[in-house]
Amino acid sequence: MAHDTILILDFGSQYTQLIARRLRELSVYCEILPFSSPPEALERDHVRGIILSGGPESVYAEGAPQCDDAVFELPVPTLGVCYGMQLMAKALGSDVREADRREYGHAVITCKNGSLLFKDVKRELRVWASHGDRIESVPEGFHVTASSDAAPVAAFEDSRRGRYGVQFHPEVAHTEQGTQILKNFAYEICGVSGDWNMTSYADEAVADIRARVGSASVVCALSGGVDSSVTAMLVHRAVGDRLTCIFVDNGLLRKNEAAQVMERFSKKLELNVIAVDAADRFLDKLRDVSDPEEKRKIIGREFIQIFTEEAANIPDARFLAQGTLYPDVIESVSVKGPSHVIKSHHNVGGLPEDLQFELIEPLRELFKDEVRSLGLELGIDEELLFRQPFPGPGLAIRILGAVTREQLDLLREADDILVSEIKAAGLYRQVWQSFTVLLPVKTVGVMGDARTYEHVVAIRVVESRDGMTADWAKLPPELLERVSSRIIGEVRGINRVVYDISSKPPSTIEWE
C-alpha cells in the first residue's frame, strides 16, 4: 500500500529531520531527499506536496545549494521554509538581499489576509527565526501573509498555484502553533488522508519481509536495545523459526545487561538466540586507543567480523536484519543533503563490501518514537521499549581515553547507581537520557583520615523531545546529593562527582 506522501528537499538545515518528525506525528508519511533530486524523481503518484527545508547558506552565495527550477512548476503544493522560501522567491523573480537587521531566535510575526496556512492560528505568534537575509518584494502572483519588524515578508503565498513560504521554522518547538501550520499545509492545502500509522506499517513490513525472504533464513544482530529488539520481533512475526538472533557481548554493556538480554529474548519471548562472549576480544582491540571515532570504527569492524563468523554456521542464512533508523542513515552519510556527518554508526557505514548477506532494515525510514509505537503493536513490554537510548559502542565512548577492564567496572557501578536513583525518583521516563561518564583525570580527596587520589565521574541527564536538541535536566539537589554520596561511598576508586549542565547544541548528548 502506498501512502499519501510529502517530500522534503534537504538544503542542509539542522532542523530538516524535525520537519519529518512533525509530519509523521500528524500521521503523514514523508521522506527526506537531497535538494539536487531531479524533478522526475519527485513526480510520484502518491506525492501530495513538497517542502523545501531551511539551510545555512545565502541563496545568492557562490555554490549555494539550488534545486532545479522545474521543481517550482510541479503540480503539487510547495512550502518553502526559511532558506527554502528565499530560494522560491529568487527562482520566481523576487529580490533576496542581506538584511540590515538579522533575525536569530525568537521573533514575533503578525498573520494577515486569512491564509489557509494560518487557519486556527493566532494573529500574533512567537516564532523561531534563523536568517540573515530578507525578501525585498514578493514574486508576481504572490501576496504577503505574515510580517515582523525585521522581515516585512515573513510569509507569502500564491494559493492559486499552491506556492507558500514562511521566513521562520514551524517545525521547532520554540514556534507557537508550528505543528498547526504544518498540519494546515498537509491536510488543508495538500489534502493528505493521514493514513500513516504503525498498525498498517507492521502489516506491510511483515508482508514485505515474507515476500523477500521466501523460504530462506534470516540472522539478526540483537543488542537488547529498542531498535534491534523491535527488528527481531518484526522479522520473527514474518518468518518464525527461520530467524536466528546473534547477541554479541562486547564487554562494553551496562551492569547485568548480557544476562538480562538472554533472559528476556531466549526464555520469555522464546526467540532463537546465540550468545557470543567476546569481551576479551574487544578489549584487546581497544587497548591504548583514545580517539573516540577510532573506538567506534574498531568496535564496528570487530562486531561485524564476529557476527559474520557466527552467521556462517547457520544453514541457508541469506539475509541479515538490523535495526538501522532514519536518523542513523542521515547522520552517518550525508546522502540527503549538504548536512555534516556528526558521527559514524556501525550498523550503517561499517558493513564490508563483500557482505555475504542481503540486508533487511525494516526500521530504516522510522524515527525512535515510531519504533516504540511499532514495538507496542508487536506486543513488546514497555520496560524494554522505553529504555533510554544507549550508544552502539556502549561504555567505550563514556570512558574518555583508553578503555580498560578496571574502568569499565567502575563506570558500570556508578551508572547503575544513577539509573536506579532516577527510577526511584520517578524520573526515568521524563528524561531523555541519564548516564555517567568516566573522566581521564584523578583528583585528591579525603576519606576518613586517609588521602585519596581517584577517578572523577560526570553525571549527564538531559531532557529532549527527539535527541536532536537537548537541555540539561534541573534535577532536585537532594537527588543529586544522594547519587553523589552513593557513588563515592559505594564505588571504590571514585572520589568526585560532577554534573554536566551543557545543552545540545552547542554540546552533544554523549561526550564522545
Side-chain angles (χ1 to χ4, degrees):
M1 172 185 174
H3 300 274
D4 284 353
T5 301
I6 290 180
L7 300 178
I8 302 164
L9 296 188
D10 179 18
F11 291 90
S13 170
Q14 60 179 319
Y15 303 130
T16 300
Q17 284 190 48
L18 287 180
I19 300 175
R21 286 292 309 278
R22 301 299 170 253
L23 290 172
R24 298 277 187 92
E25 289 167 1
L26 292 167
S27 300
V28 178
Y29 182 70
C30 58
E31 296 178 17
I32 299 174
L33 299 178
F35 70 89
S36 55
S37 299
E40 55 269 23
L42 312 180
E43 296 183 272
R44 309 181 202 166
D45 289 342
H46 294 273
V47 171
R48 299 289 180 257
I50 295 171
I51 296 179
L52 312 180
S53 84
E57 307 291 341
S58 293
V59 294
Y60 49 76
E62 183 178 353
Q66 309 276 331
C67 62
D68 194 307
D69 283 352
V71 169
F72 300 107
E73 303 302 323
L74 293 174
V76 294
T78 303
L79 171 65
V81 174
C82 204
Y83 180 92
M85 177 188 183
Q86 296 166 3
L87 188 65
M88 180 186 296
K90 180 174 179 289
L92 298 179
S94 185
D95 188 18
V96 181
R97 299 181 183 178
E98 184 176 0
D100 294 331
R101 178 182 165 192
R102 298 181 295 175
E103 281 190 314
Y104 291 106
H106 284 293
V108 177
I109 66 166
T110 301
C111 305
K112 57 185 70 174
N113 297 326
S115 170
L116 196 56
L117 191 64
F118 298 114
K119 179 182 177 182
D120 298 326
V121 170
K122 297 187 302 184
R123 187 170 183 271
E124 286 199 349
L125 286 181
R126 277 172 60 84
V127 301
W128 188 257
S130 179
H131 59 91
D133 299 328
R134 62 185 270 173
I135 297 168
E136 295 295 323
S137 60
V138 299
E140 183 178 352
F142 282 71
H143 65 274
V144 176
T145 56
S147 60
S148 70
D149 289 343
V153 186
F156 65 23
E157 70 177 50
D158 179 350
S159 57
R160 182 182 58 84
R161 296 173 60 197
R163 301 294 177 259
Y164 301 80
V166 293
Q167 197 57 56
F168 57 89
H169 291 276
E171 68 274 20
V172 303
H174 303 299
T175 293
E176 290 181 322
Q177 296 187 277
T179 300
Q180 181 65 42
I181 294 170
L182 291 174
K183 181 179 180 181
N184 288 339
F185 178 71
Y187 284 89
E188 301 291 340
I189 294 170
C190 298
V192 300
S193 59
D195 58 355
W196 174 250
N197 59 71
M198 288 302 101
T199 301
S200 62
Y201 183 85
D203 294 339
E204 293 165 26
V206 166
D208 288 345
I209 294 169
R210 281 178 182 157
R212 187 174 171 199
V213 170
S215 60
S217 295
V218 183
V219 290
C220 177
L222 181 66
S223 69
V226 176
D227 307 334
S228 68
S229 301
V230 173
T231 298
M233 293 301 291
L234 192 63
V235 175
H236 185 258
R237 178 175 288 192
V239 304
D241 291 341
R242 286 182 287 119
L243 168 69
T244 300
C245 298
I246 298 176
F247 169 61
V248 178
D249 180 1
N250 57 16
L252 308 171
L253 303 176
R254 289 165 288 197
K255 186 176 180 179
N256 300 325
E257 192 162 14
Q260 291 168 0
V261 169
M262 293 305 295
E263 172 69 23
R264 171 176 276 120
F265 290 95
S266 182
K267 296 182 179 179
K268 289 185 179 179
L269 297 177
E270 298 183 337
L271 297 186
N272 181 20
V273 184
I274 296 174
V276 182
D277 184 354
D280 291 342
R281 188 165 163 176
F282 277 88
L283 286 174
D284 184 59
K285 293 287 185 180
L286 289 169
R287 183 177 293 123
D288 299 327
V289 177
S290 297
D291 179 74
E293 190 62 12
E294 186 60 25
K295 289 182 192 176
R296 290 179 181 272
K297 290 178 179 178
I298 289 171
I299 292 166
R301 284 196 301 265
E302 197 62 20
F303 174 85
I304 292 298
Q305 180 63 37
I306 294 171
F307 184 88
T308 304
E309 292 169 5
E310 294 294 328
N313 299 320
I314 300 171
D316 200 28
R318 288 178 40 216
F319 294 89
L320 164 62
Q322 59 177 14
T324 308
L325 302 193
Y326 209 12
D328 296 340
V329 176
I330 296 169
E331 277 198 342
S332 293
V333 187
S334 299
V335 296
K336 303 294 184 182
S339 304
H340 292 167
V341 176
I342 306 299
K343 58 191 176 185
S344 62
H345 293 261
H346 72 258
N347 60 334
V348 179
L351 296 174
E353 293 182 4
D354 59 348
L355 185 70
Q356 59 182 299
F357 303 103
E358 294 181 49
L359 277 180
I360 294 177
E361 297 176 303
L363 312 182
R364 190 178 177 88
E365 297 297 322
L366 300 185
F367 292 99
K368 178 71 79 172
D369 58 334
E370 294 175 311
V371 173
R372 288 190 169 113
S373 296
L374 178 58
L376 291 174
E377 288 289 333
L378 296 170
I380 300 176
D381 62 276
E382 290 192 13
E383 182 182 358
L384 186 154
L385 288 176
F386 289 92
R387 289 180 70 187
Q388 295 174 358
F390 186 65
L395 299 181
I397 58 167
R398 292 179 179 173
I399 294 174
L400 306 193
V403 179
T404 67
R405 195 180 300 273
E406 175 202 15
Q407 292 171 326
L408 285 165
D409 290 340
L410 288 176
L411 189 57
R412 280 193 191 96
E413 294 300 326
D415 192 73
D416 186 63
I417 289 171
L418 171 64
V419 172
S420 66
E421 290 293 345
I422 291 287
K423 288 181 176 178
L427 297 175
Y428 187 77
R429 291 274 293 271
Q430 294 182 32
V431 299
W432 178 260
Q433 267 176 287
S434 48
F435 58 90
T436 53
V437 180
L438 191 67
L439 306 189
V441 294
K442 289 185 176 182
T443 64
V444 173
V446 177
M447 291 186 178
D449 294 324
R451 178 182 182 275
T452 62
Y453 191 61
E454 295 176 337
H455 292 278
V456 181
V457 158
I459 296 173
R460 180 71 160 148
V461 184
V462 298
E463 297 173 338
S464 177
R465 183 173 179 178
D466 44 44
M468 295 187 62
T469 60
D471 195 12
W472 62 279
K474 283 68 174 177
L475 297 182
E478 58 272 18
L479 173 58
L480 286 172
E481 182 180 23
R482 188 161 58 251
V483 171
S484 175
S485 296
R486 284 196 59 194
I487 289 175
I488 293 173
E490 297 175 28
V491 185
R492 187 177 295 275
I494 296 173
N495 71 354
R496 191 177 299 270
V497 175
V498 298
Y499 191 51
D500 182 350
I501 59 170
S502 50
S503 298
K504 175 186 180 181
S507 303
T508 55
I509 294 178
E510 296 286 347
W511 281 42
E512 288 192 342

